[in-house]
Amino acid sequence: MGARPVTPFILPERPMRLLRIAVFAAAFAALASFPSRAAEPARPVPPRFSAGYIDRSADPRADFARYAFGAWQKANPVPEDKARWGSFNELDQFNQLALKGILEEAAARANKPGSVEQKVGDFFKSAMDTAAIDAAGLKPVEAELSRVAAIASTPELARALATLHDSGVDGFFRVAVKADQKKSDINALYAYQGGMSLPSRDYYFDAQFEKIRTAFVEHVAKTLALAGDAPESAAAGAKTVFEVEKALAAGAKTPVELRDSLANYNKMPTAELAGKLPVFPLARYLADRGIAGPASGDIIVGQPKFFEGLQAQLAARPLPDWKVYLRYHVLRAASPYLAAPFEAEHFRFYSTVLRGTPEMEPRWQRAARTIDGTLGEALGQLYVARYYPPEAKARMDEMIRNITAVMRDRLSKLDWMTEPTRKKALAKFERFFAKIGHPAKWRDYSSVAIRPGAFLANVRAATGFEVKRRLSQLGQPVDKTEWRMSPPTVNAYFDPTANNINFPAGILQPPFFDYSLDDAVNYGGIGAVIGHEITHGFDDQGRHFDADGNLADWWTPEDAARFEARAKKVVEQFSGYEALPGVKVNGELTLGENIADLGGASLALEALERSLAGKEKKLIDGFTPEQRFFLSWAQVWRTNIRENALRQQVTVDPHSPGNFRAIGPLVNLQPFYDAFGIKEGDPMWRKPEDRAKIW
């Protein structure tokens, strides 16, 4: 995850942009064959753990994933408007329908001007007003396109880029403000590689993505033509855009390299970075973004070689190349919120070609995702008030106490860690804390102007507010109570610089957290999630952050070597899993998440066993508590996924595919073998000497 501001439990697929098919002048004829959106699904039941998901024809000793959720897989093909379908998606769909009711109600009422209800209600109305969006055509981005067209010098290029970055348009590189990883109580300025439209460096060079590269050039040409370029000009512009992006990608780091926190921390005076970009007036760019004065004295550069490559390209390429590149990026960022042909073409490439998704989500759902992604704590307030029971926090507090007690004991007794490192590990552990459900203080959106009939303007206003809010934190003390996910999000994360774990209200529901079911199921669900996030503080990257959340070398060399030897077993295990014919899981890329899964399952299992001590172990659905724990863990990872989406995941995602997460940690735990009678010679058997045991 590169600089890794947060480490999610699962990296969700890129939010579906707001897309649809509608009539828009003559351009619709060229899009007539594009698939219509999927039918709106009926309201689902809560996606609970179920013995009915088990494939009784499968042998748990041969294929535990198929046994645990094979019946569910057969009954749940990927919906036409999704790239994958699993328990996360089921719960997300459940939450999305809750948001639908909130948004429709807010849109139908006359709300107090400036209130949260007015903002989300009018935002929703603007997103649903397809007639106004289609009638506006390209007008919402004409000012940005004119600004790009008028660029006549490199200083003007820098000023235009600053304006575009402030409104959320990508290009050239990325700048961010967040906690200084080596001085975590103060917010610092970061610069990262960026400006590439494809998912990672690999997509520009690897032979397996040649067809996608061809499709990307075709997509850019279609987008430019929709914006009024003549066919020949659009085709030439598309080739230029690809050439520029490929040149940038040549100096970019791979997903594996982006995970190395130490290698991606390169602090230098801002003037030094400016010296690496003599063709580009960096000081002018930063000043136009409001980044000036003592606070901008230093900058943390993630990938210095990328900026060296950017300088070479800026020096070698004529200004018109950069103008057509920026023109496309303006259209790319705006297309999901423009008239139908732009939306459709954006969806066709980024969802259908890249991820294999045939159809679009219902319009209300696409609107809800946009509002949640831009005014998340405004919509989240209304969601929490209606759908988050106070007793959930009390139960979570109890489970966190139980699981942290296990982790504390293990840190105190690890036989491979020496006392100097152990003392510092325990000091770090004692400093970590949990945030549950939602922020204690909601974000103030009073300055964000939202009005009906102006969809893209609303997106820009909300995005610009968030960009400016974060930039304004430069040089200020870090607020460790701030959240990086909205309350309805089905996810959780560890923040290494804040040394805290975070559980949005959206995940505190079945199948992760279910009041109606036994402890074994809940420890296999949310308990393992808790353990997963705790373990992230001590995974291959999290272990580099000390008790204060600072990147520091606090391990003895001997202990670091022992850790790496144990981690190597995890790399080797997952590198042996074949996701697609000839395509293996990248054990280096997924190491942090696989370590966290192993720690999470192991910690939660011991916490369950402690809770059961002295009690009668009753069978439920014919299964022991231990069996239900392992089944619950596996069912969390029940997944069906499209081939293109799986190929993309294996290439860029630090999370292993769900079917391997379902079994990967378990085959390292002896109680799993005991629970299902797995013996040497069985396909699920892993030799004791090959099993990984870290935390």
Side-chain angles (χ1 to χ4, degrees):
M1 293 220 141
R4 297 190 351 143
V6 298
T7 304
F9 183 52
I10 179 172
L11 187 67
E13 59 189 82
R14 182 177 296 177
M16 185 76 66
R17 300 280 191 166
L18 278 150
L19 306 165
R20 74 182 183 289
I21 297 297
V23 177
F24 178 66
F28 182 75
L31 299 165
S33 62
F34 193 78
S36 61
R37 68 169 174 80
E40 182 176 324
R43 182 173 179 82
V45 296
R48 290 190 164 90
F49 167 88
S50 174
Y53 296 158
I54 295 172
D55 183 349
R56 303 283 181 169
S57 69
D59 186 344
R61 299 168 298 178
D63 186 343
F64 187 71
R66 180 185 160 201
Y67 175 78
F69 53 81
W72 177 90
Q73 282 187 311
K74 293 175 185 176
N76 288 273
V78 182
E80 292 296 286
D81 62 346
K82 301 291 188 294
R84 66 181 172 200
W85 190 247
S87 65
F88 285 84
N89 306 92
E90 289 178 313
L91 180 51
D92 174 70
Q93 184 73 17
F94 190 77
N95 285 344
Q96 288 290 311
L97 284 160
L99 296 180
K100 178 176 185 272
I102 291 170
L103 289 166
E104 288 178 339
E105 184 177 320
R109 288 199 313 241
N111 299 298
K112 180 182 177 182
S115 66
V116 167
E117 291 82 357
Q118 176 266 312
K119 291 182 187 298
V120 300
D122 283 355
F123 206 155
F124 187 67
K125 281 191 283 190
S126 74
M128 300 300 289
D129 190 353
T130 57
I133 295 169
D134 288 336
L138 200 59
K139 289 179 182 177
V141 287
E142 282 181 349
E144 291 175 342
L145 294 174
S146 296
R147 177 101 189 230
V148 171
I151 295 172
S153 65
T154 305
E156 290 179 12
L157 178 69
R159 303 199 74 161
L161 185 65
T163 300
L164 294 175
H165 280 181
D166 277 347
S167 64
V169 178
D170 189 25
F172 288 69
F173 53 83
R174 294 182 296 120
V175 167
V177 170
K178 60 181 183 176
D180 186 330
Q181 291 178 315
K182 290 191 176 181
K183 196 177 188 315
S184 63
D185 57 335
I186 295 294
N187 283 302
L189 183 64
Y190 287 78
Y192 299 117
Q193 67 187 49
M196 295 165 282
S197 303
L198 297 180
S200 74
R201 183 188 190 280
D202 313 78
Y203 277 75
Y204 292 90
F205 298 102
D206 286 6
Q208 64 173 317
F209 299 120
E210 183 176 356
K211 289 182 178 179
I212 286 179
R213 290 193 288 273
T214 300
F216 174 63
V217 174
E218 294 171 351
H219 156 71
V220 176
K222 289 180 180 179
T223 301
L224 294 175
L226 284 171
D229 290 12
E232 298 80 7
S233 176
K239 290 180 181 179
T240 297
V241 170
F242 176 73
E243 289 170 359
V244 169
E245 293 198 4
K246 185 177 181 180
L248 294 177
K253 288 189 175 183
T254 66
V256 171
E257 292 169 332
L258 289 171
R259 290 195 64 251
D260 189 334
S261 299
L262 293 168
N264 287 281
Y265 185 99
N266 303 280
K267 195 170 189 176
M268 62 184 69
T270 305
E272 183 177 336
L273 178 60
K276 296 178 183 292
L277 292 168
V279 180
F280 184 84
L282 183 65
R284 176 74 272 164
Y285 164 85
L286 293 175
D288 281 1
R289 298 202 68 191
I291 305 170
S296 62
D298 290 323
I299 189 167
I300 300 164
V301 182
Q303 301 79 33
K305 287 187 178 180
F306 173 83
F307 287 92
E308 293 172 8
L310 175 60
Q311 161 62 22
Q313 291 302 310
L314 285 167
R317 291 186 177 276
L319 191 60
D321 284 6
W322 298 105
K323 289 170 67 173
V324 72
Y325 163 80
L326 278 183
R327 177 173 169 80
Y328 169 68
H329 276 266
V330 168
L331 293 167
R332 176 176 181 255
S335 286
Y337 319 110
L338 292 176
F342 292 98
E343 296 181 287
E345 176 53 34
H346 187 277
F347 179 87
R348 184 193 67 81
F349 178 73
Y350 287 103
S351 293
T352 303
V353 174
L354 274 183
R355 299 184 61 77
T357 310
E359 299 181 8
M360 296 173 288
E361 290 182 324
R363 178 128 191 110
W364 66 262
Q365 191 164 16
R366 304 191 303 271
R369 292 196 191 284
T370 295
I371 299 168
D372 184 45
T374 54
L375 292 181
E377 289 194 17
L379 183 56
Q381 290 182 53
L382 305 179
Y383 171 83
V384 165
R386 193 172 299 185
Y387 293 102
Y388 180 61
E391 57 268 25
K393 185 179 186 306
R395 182 78 179 273
M396 278 291 290
D397 284 339
E398 178 187 358
M399 294 188 75
I400 289 171
R401 283 195 300 272
N402 293 344
I403 293 167
T404 54
V406 175
M407 183 64 169
R408 185 180 293 107
D409 288 351
R410 290 189 179 184
L411 286 172
S412 301
K413 300 173 184 176
L414 283 173
D415 58 5
W416 58 267
M417 181 177 280
T418 61
E419 285 307 311
T421 305
R422 187 193 316 279
K423 184 177 180 180
K424 293 178 180 178
L426 284 167
K428 173 176 179 172
F429 186 72
E430 293 304 325
R431 295 279 294 276
F432 108 99
F433 63 99
K435 304 205 302 279
I436 302 169
H438 59 86
K441 181 181 179 181
W442 296 105
R443 194 160 296 156
D444 180 7
Y445 293 103
S446 59
S447 64
V448 184
I450 301 293
R451 53 193 174 88
F455 185 32
L456 180 59
N458 290 335
V459 173
R460 290 282 195 261
T463 302
F465 163 81
E466 184 61 16
V467 169
K468 288 294 188 183
R469 187 187 71 83
R470 293 188 182 181
L471 291 181
S472 71
Q473 296 174 343
L474 179 60
Q476 300 299 311
V478 172
D479 179 3
K480 295 189 177 184
T481 67
E482 188 172 308
W483 284 69
R484 303 298 186 192
M485 289 179 179
S486 69
T489 303
V490 183
N491 213 327
Y493 68 94
F494 169 76
D495 187 334
T497 56
N499 197 19
N500 61 31
I501 54 178
N502 304 261
F503 303 92
I507 200 173
L508 303 182
Q509 301 179 70
F512 303 95
F513 194 41
D514 194 334
Y515 289 113
S516 69
L517 294 179
D518 47 298
D519 280 350
V521 168
N522 279 304
Y523 274 98
I526 198 66
V529 176
I530 294 167
H532 173 105
E533 300 306 339
I534 291 173
T535 305
H536 265 314
F538 301 90
D539 69 18
D540 67 308
Q541 295 303 312
R543 76 178 187 86
H544 293 302
F545 292 83
D546 65 14
D548 295 316
N550 294 322
L551 270 175
D553 188 8
W554 53 272
W555 291 60
T556 66
E558 296 79 11
D559 288 340
R562 293 188 189 100
F563 175 91
E564 288 166 3
R566 289 166 180 264
K568 185 179 179 181
K569 290 187 176 182
V570 180
V571 173
E572 292 171 347
Q573 175 189 348
F574 280 84
S575 294
Y577 291 140
E578 191 172 58
L580 291 166
V583 180
K584 297 282 187 73
V585 173
N586 188 329
E588 294 284 352
L589 175 61
T590 58
L591 178 58
E593 298 299 329
N594 296 334
I595 289 175
D597 279 351
L598 173 59
S602 178
L603 291 168
L605 176 62
E606 184 172 339
L608 171 66
E609 296 290 12
R610 291 185 182 188
S611 74
L612 294 173
K615 299 178 183 176
E616 180 184 358
K617 292 186 178 182
K618 297 180 180 179
L619 296 182
I620 301 176
D621 294 327
F623 296 105
T624 66
E626 290 80 6
Q627 289 174 325
R628 285 174 69 80
F629 172 91
F630 293 121
L631 288 168
S632 177
W633 165 264
Q635 286 192 9
V636 160
W637 300 111
R638 60 184 185 267
T639 308
N640 282 315
I641 185 169
R642 300 186 189 280
E643 181 177 329
N644 278 15
L646 180 56
R647 191 176 298 276
Q648 180 176 327
Q649 179 177 358
V650 172
T651 304
V652 306
D653 196 334
H655 302 79
S656 298
N659 57 323
F660 301 125
R661 296 186 79 172
I663 62 170
L666 306 189
V667 296
N668 292 295
L669 305 176
Q670 183 59 41
F672 170 66
Y673 295 94
D674 299 338
F676 291 95
I678 300 169
K679 305 294 184 184
E680 186 173 1
D682 291 332
M684 292 302 304
W685 175 264
R686 188 170 179 82
K687 294 179 182 178
E689 61 268 27
D690 292 335
R691 298 175 196 171
K693 183 179 181 182
I694 304 178
W695 300 111

mmCIF file of all heavy atoms in Angstrom, residues 189 268-272 292-299 474:
data_model
loop_
_atom_site.group_PDB
_atom_site.id
_atom_site.type_symbol
_atom_site.label_atom_id
_atom_site.label_comp_id
_atom_site.label_asym_id
_atom_site.label_seq_id
_atom_site.Cartn_x
_atom_site.Cartn_y
_atom_site.Cartn_z
ATOM 1 N N LEU A 189 3.923 17.018 4.427
ATOM 2 C CA LEU A 189 3.613 17.042 3.003
ATOM 3 C C LEU A 189 4.287 15.863 2.312
ATOM 4 O O LEU A 189 5.476 15.612 2.525
ATOM 5 C CB LEU A 189 4.099 18.359 2.393
ATOM 6 C CG LEU A 189 3.807 18.612 0.913
ATOM 7 C CD1 LEU A 189 2.308 18.700 0.665
ATOM 8 C CD2 LEU A 189 4.496 19.903 0.460
ATOM 9 N N MET A 268 13.034 15.356 2.263
ATOM 10 C CA MET A 268 14.016 16.289 1.717
ATOM 11 C C MET A 268 13.434 17.693 1.734
ATOM 12 O O MET A 268 12.207 17.861 1.813
ATOM 13 C CB MET A 268 14.385 15.895 0.292
ATOM 14 C CG MET A 268 13.230 15.929 -0.697
ATOM 15 S SD MET A 268 13.679 15.341 -2.370
ATOM 16 C CE MET A 268 13.929 13.585 -2.054
ATOM 17 N N PRO A 269 14.276 18.724 1.667
ATOM 18 C CA PRO A 269 13.743 20.076 1.521
ATOM 19 C C PRO A 269 12.922 20.166 0.232
ATOM 20 O O PRO A 269 13.284 19.565 -0.785
ATOM 21 C CB PRO A 269 15.002 20.944 1.447
ATOM 22 C CG PRO A 269 16.066 20.140 2.118
ATOM 23 C CD PRO A 269 15.750 18.713 1.785
ATOM 24 N N THR A 270 11.846 20.911 0.285
ATOM 25 C CA THR A 270 11.026 21.079 -0.915
ATOM 26 C C THR A 270 11.860 21.629 -2.060
ATOM 27 O O THR A 270 11.666 21.268 -3.225
ATOM 28 C CB THR A 270 9.835 22.006 -0.620
ATOM 29 O OG1 THR A 270 9.105 21.481 0.492
ATOM 30 C CG2 THR A 270 8.909 22.103 -1.818
ATOM 31 N N ALA A 271 12.811 22.469 -1.738
ATOM 32 C CA ALA A 271 13.689 23.028 -2.765
ATOM 33 C C ALA A 271 14.506 21.942 -3.458
ATOM 34 O O ALA A 271 14.838 22.061 -4.648
ATOM 35 C CB ALA A 271 14.615 24.066 -2.150
ATOM 36 N N GLU A 272 14.826 20.864 -2.737
ATOM 37 C CA GLU A 272 15.587 19.771 -3.346
ATOM 38 C C GLU A 272 14.744 19.040 -4.387
ATOM 39 O O GLU A 272 15.224 18.699 -5.468
ATOM 40 C CB GLU A 272 16.073 18.803 -2.273
ATOM 41 C CG GLU A 272 16.929 17.666 -2.828
ATOM 42 C CD GLU A 272 17.459 16.745 -1.745
ATOM 43 O OE1 GLU A 272 17.568 17.196 -0.584
ATOM 44 O OE2 GLU A 272 17.762 15.571 -2.059
ATOM 45 N N ALA A 292 2.515 26.878 1.241
ATOM 46 C CA ALA A 292 3.648 27.800 1.199
ATOM 47 C C ALA A 292 4.087 28.128 2.614
ATOM 48 O O ALA A 292 3.412 27.787 3.585
ATOM 49 C CB ALA A 292 3.263 29.077 0.448
ATOM 50 N N GLY A 293 5.237 28.788 2.736
ATOM 51 C CA GLY A 293 5.707 29.193 4.052
ATOM 52 C C GLY A 293 6.472 28.093 4.752
ATOM 53 O O GLY A 293 6.823 27.069 4.171
ATOM 54 N N PRO A 294 6.746 28.262 6.058
ATOM 55 C CA PRO A 294 7.566 27.309 6.815
ATOM 56 C C PRO A 294 7.025 25.888 6.787
ATOM 57 O O PRO A 294 7.795 24.931 6.801
ATOM 58 C CB PRO A 294 7.535 27.884 8.242
ATOM 59 C CG PRO A 294 7.222 29.334 8.060
ATOM 60 C CD PRO A 294 6.325 29.425 6.860
ATOM 61 N N ALA A 295 5.684 25.745 6.752
ATOM 62 C CA ALA A 295 5.103 24.404 6.803
ATOM 63 C C ALA A 295 5.513 23.561 5.612
ATOM 64 O O ALA A 295 5.539 22.336 5.679
ATOM 65 C CB ALA A 295 3.578 24.490 6.883
ATOM 66 N N SER A 296 5.815 24.196 4.478
ATOM 67 C CA SER A 296 6.174 23.448 3.274
ATOM 68 C C SER A 296 7.685 23.365 3.092
ATOM 69 O O SER A 296 8.170 23.113 1.990
ATOM 70 C CB SER A 296 5.540 24.097 2.036
ATOM 71 O OG SER A 296 6.033 25.416 1.853
ATOM 72 N N GLY A 297 8.443 23.556 4.164
ATOM 73 C CA GLY A 297 9.895 23.527 4.053
ATOM 74 C C GLY A 297 10.432 22.180 3.643
ATOM 75 O O GLY A 297 11.442 22.089 2.939
ATOM 76 N N ASP A 298 9.780 21.104 4.085
ATOM 77 C CA ASP A 298 10.203 19.750 3.740
ATOM 78 C C ASP A 298 9.068 19.021 3.046
ATOM 79 O O ASP A 298 7.887 19.334 3.245
ATOM 80 C CB ASP A 298 10.606 18.971 4.992
ATOM 81 C CG ASP A 298 11.906 19.480 5.594
ATOM 82 O OD1 ASP A 298 12.803 19.854 4.818
ATOM 83 O OD2 ASP A 298 12.007 19.514 6.836
ATOM 84 N N ILE A 299 9.446 18.024 2.275
ATOM 85 C CA ILE A 299 8.457 17.182 1.605
ATOM 86 C C ILE A 299 8.966 15.751 1.648
ATOM 87 O O ILE A 299 10.176 15.499 1.530
ATOM 88 C CB ILE A 299 8.213 17.650 0.148
ATOM 89 C CG1 ILE A 299 7.025 16.912 -0.466
ATOM 90 C CG2 ILE A 299 9.460 17.505 -0.706
ATOM 91 C CD1 ILE A 299 6.529 17.540 -1.767
ATOM 92 N N LEU A 474 -1.567 20.807 7.102
ATOM 93 C CA LEU A 474 -0.111 20.770 6.988
ATOM 94 C C LEU A 474 0.541 21.545 8.134
ATOM 95 O O LEU A 474 0.211 22.700 8.405
ATOM 96 C CB LEU A 474 0.327 21.366 5.643
ATOM 97 C CG LEU A 474 1.837 21.412 5.389
ATOM 98 C CD1 LEU A 474 2.435 20.010 5.427
ATOM 99 C CD2 LEU A 474 2.126 22.076 4.049
#
